[in-house]
Amino acid sequence: MSQTLPALVTEAAALSVAGAGLRRYEMGTAVIGAGADATVVIVESGDNPRVCGVQDSSKVLLCGDPIPDLRSRFDFESPLLIHVFVRLDRGCLSLGIARCRGSALPRAGFNQCELELARPLSRAVLDAVRPVPAPGPVPDVDWVNDVATDPIRAMESFILGWFPAEESESAGDESTAGGLDGLPEALATFYRLARLRPAILRFPDPVLKPPRRASCSLGDRLVFAEWCGAAKDWSIPWPLDNQAGTDPTVWFTEDPYDPWFTDDPYDPNAEATPEEEPLSRFLLQFTLNGAMSSAPYGARTYAMPTERFAPLWNILRPVPLSPFAYTHERFFVAPGLLARVQGDEEKTIMGFAALHRGTLTPLLEHGFRWSTFHG
């Protein structure tokens, strides 16, 4: 059943909420009014992830050139209310009051912040201000068939299908691996693919460019990836020898840096444990995890009875890999959709990532309780 939207107002009426002494600014595509009584933000409607506008039912993003005059108004402790409107074809729709969260407020000015709405938008309002476009072309999942027998080929197919090509100054740059010779095939392939799809070197927890040599109780290592701001890392024996083989064991190291010795911070006695998967399969795990963290659209459920997710097993294909790292999450895929599952026979949490918002929207039909939903 369709719902009637609240009444629309003119831009002038929206800005008047700011009160006397109105000053008008533009940040990106947004209009900001600063007055004696409040701050008014007017954003454009549309499906624009990570640029100015509505991001989901509770978040509105502002970004653009710095505006020093506005810095204090978007401070979390500012006493002035922030009123948010969205510009539609026939006027401006009020989204209510918001608070500033996750601000990036440099001393030189104000150039970005996330606004959290006091009351999340209803589905009818969200669809009006951020219509769901039809999904575009999505990559297939045939690469899953190669995971058990040829994980390097599976990783290559997934990366080339999931991540878009882009122009990059480093395209064709052979220095990605730091000039190291004799890298195992899986790591050499990853760096080759990074020249074709640079996004895989921009994960929140990245593969290092170039990898770093280190020594620990296990002997000489090549650290190729870090996690949690280098609080943890992954490495392989280096240089490789006959014992390590062409697809070496990956070692996960907790707290690799000794806080007591800043002149030589890498702790040779840090505790390290072997990953269940060898390098070739681990890099596929790592890439799937990074793809989920960096996807333009995501969703995550609250913990719910595991049986509630039964309808999804007809949609999702399991990726035949062991649970990833210490989170014990398993990966599943469908065309244009990634999922990771953490749970047991009683309770489960599921996370999703998609290239197109419309790929997530059908999940609403299952009635899950969502902690995050970008669809």
Side-chain angles (χ1 to χ4, degrees), residues 112-194:
Q112 178 174 324
C113 76
E114 291 181 358
L115 301 177
E116 182 177 324
L117 297 170
R119 296 182 62 181
L121 304 178
S122 68
R123 190 69 210 186
V125 171
L126 182 61
D127 286 344
V129 302
R130 194 181 180 208
V132 180
V138 295
D140 61 42
V141 295
D142 291 344
W143 55 268
V144 174
N145 299 328
D146 294 322
V147 173
T149 58
D150 195 346
I152 295 177
R153 180 179 178 181
M155 177 179 68
E156 180 174 18
S157 297
F158 170 69
I159 289 175
L160 294 179
W162 183 268
F163 299 96
E166 56 185 279
E167 293 184 4
S168 171
E169 294 179 0
S170 63
D173 180 4
E174 299 296 329
S175 65
T176 308
L180 292 172
D181 296 324
L183 288 177
E185 181 185 0
L187 193 55
T189 298
F190 185 93
Y191 282 121
R192 175 179 62 81
L193 292 168

Side-chain angles (χ1 to χ4, degrees), residues 49-88:
R50 299 176 183 172
V51 300
C52 273
V54 176
Q55 303 296 296
D56 56 36
S57 62
S58 60
K59 186 172 70 176
V60 178
L61 179 65
L62 285 178
C63 55
D65 294 333
I67 304 177
D69 291 351
L70 294 177
R71 189 179 190 279
S72 62
R73 287 179 171 265
F74 288 88
D75 186 272
F76 179 74
E77 297 180 351
S78 173
L80 295 176
L81 295 176
I82 301 173
H83 295 261
V84 182
F85 292 81
V86 170
R87 183 179 289 107
L88 301 178

Side-chain angles (χ1 to χ4, degrees), residues 31 46 60 63 86 102 189 194 202 206 252 306 312 345 347 360 370:
V31 171
V60 178
C63 55
V86 170
T189 298
R202 297 196 294 263
F252 176 64
T306 298
L312 295 183
E345 294 181 354
K347 293 284 187 179
L360 288 178
W370 300 99

Side-chain angles (χ1 to χ4, degrees), residues 10-305:
T10 64
E11 179 178 310
L15 290 173
S16 71
V17 175
L22 176 69
R23 289 167 292 162
R24 187 181 187 277
Y25 303 87
E26 293 184 3
M27 175 179 282
T29 58
V31 171
I32 300 174
D37 299 333
T39 302
V40 172
V41 172
I42 303 175
V43 296
E44 296 287 343
S45 61
D47 185 55
N48 302 305
R50 299 176 183 172
V51 300
C52 273
V54 176
Q55 303 296 296
D56 56 36
S57 62
S58 60
K59 186 172 70 176
V60 178
L61 179 65
L62 285 178
C63 55
D65 294 333
I67 304 177
D69 291 351
L70 294 177
R71 189 179 190 279
S72 62
R73 287 179 171 265
F74 288 88
D75 186 272
F76 179 74
E77 297 180 351
S78 173
L80 295 176
L81 295 176
I82 301 173
H83 295 261
V84 182
F85 292 81
V86 170
R87 183 179 289 107
L88 301 178
D89 291 339
R90 298 184 179 181
C92 297
L93 175 67
S94 174
L95 302 186
I97 296 171
R99 296 290 299 271
C100 190
R101 309 285 189 186
S103 301
L105 302 179
R107 292 182 179 179
F110 158 75
N111 68 343
Q112 178 174 324
C113 76
E114 291 181 358
L115 301 177
E116 182 177 324
L117 297 170
R119 296 182 62 181
L121 304 178
S122 68
R123 190 69 210 186
V125 171
L126 182 61
D127 286 344
V129 302
R130 194 181 180 208
V132 180
V138 295
D140 61 42
V141 295
D142 291 344
W143 55 268
V144 174
N145 299 328
D146 294 322
V147 173
T149 58
D150 195 346
I152 295 177
R153 180 179 178 181
M155 177 179 68
E156 180 174 18
S157 297
F158 170 69
I159 289 175
L160 294 179
W162 183 268
F163 299 96
E166 56 185 279
E167 293 184 4
S168 171
E169 294 179 0
S170 63
D173 180 4
E174 299 296 329
S175 65
T176 308
L180 292 172
D181 296 324
L183 288 177
E185 181 185 0
L187 193 55
T189 298
F190 185 93
Y191 282 121
R192 175 179 62 81
L193 292 168
R195 295 194 294 272
L196 301 174
R197 300 292 190 269
I200 65 174
L201 291 177
R202 297 196 294 263
F203 294 155
D205 299 297
V207 165
L208 298 180
K209 174 190 175 182
R212 183 184 67 247
R213 299 188 187 209
S215 295
C216 67
S217 59
L218 298 170
D220 292 337
R221 320 295 301 161
L222 188 68
V223 178
F224 65 88
E226 293 179 339
W227 204 1
C228 298
K232 313 172 193 298
D233 68 31
W234 285 278
S235 62
I236 57 173
W238 191 259
L240 294 178
D241 54 28
N242 292 334
Q243 184 176 1
T246 58
D247 197 12
T249 298
V250 175
W251 290 84
F252 176 64
T253 304
E254 293 262 13
D255 300 321
Y257 289 94
D258 189 335
W260 302 108
F261 298 99
T262 57
D263 57 335
D264 186 17
Y266 203 86
D267 183 0
N269 298 312
E271 181 179 356
T273 55
E275 290 285 347
E276 292 187 43
E277 301 289 4
L279 179 63
S280 61
R281 292 164 61 88
F282 173 82
L283 282 173
L284 176 57
Q285 282 184 316
F286 190 92
T287 304
L288 289 168
N289 184 72
M292 290 210 61
S293 300
S294 60
Y297 302 97
R300 186 172 178 84
T301 71
Y302 287 102
M304 297 190 302

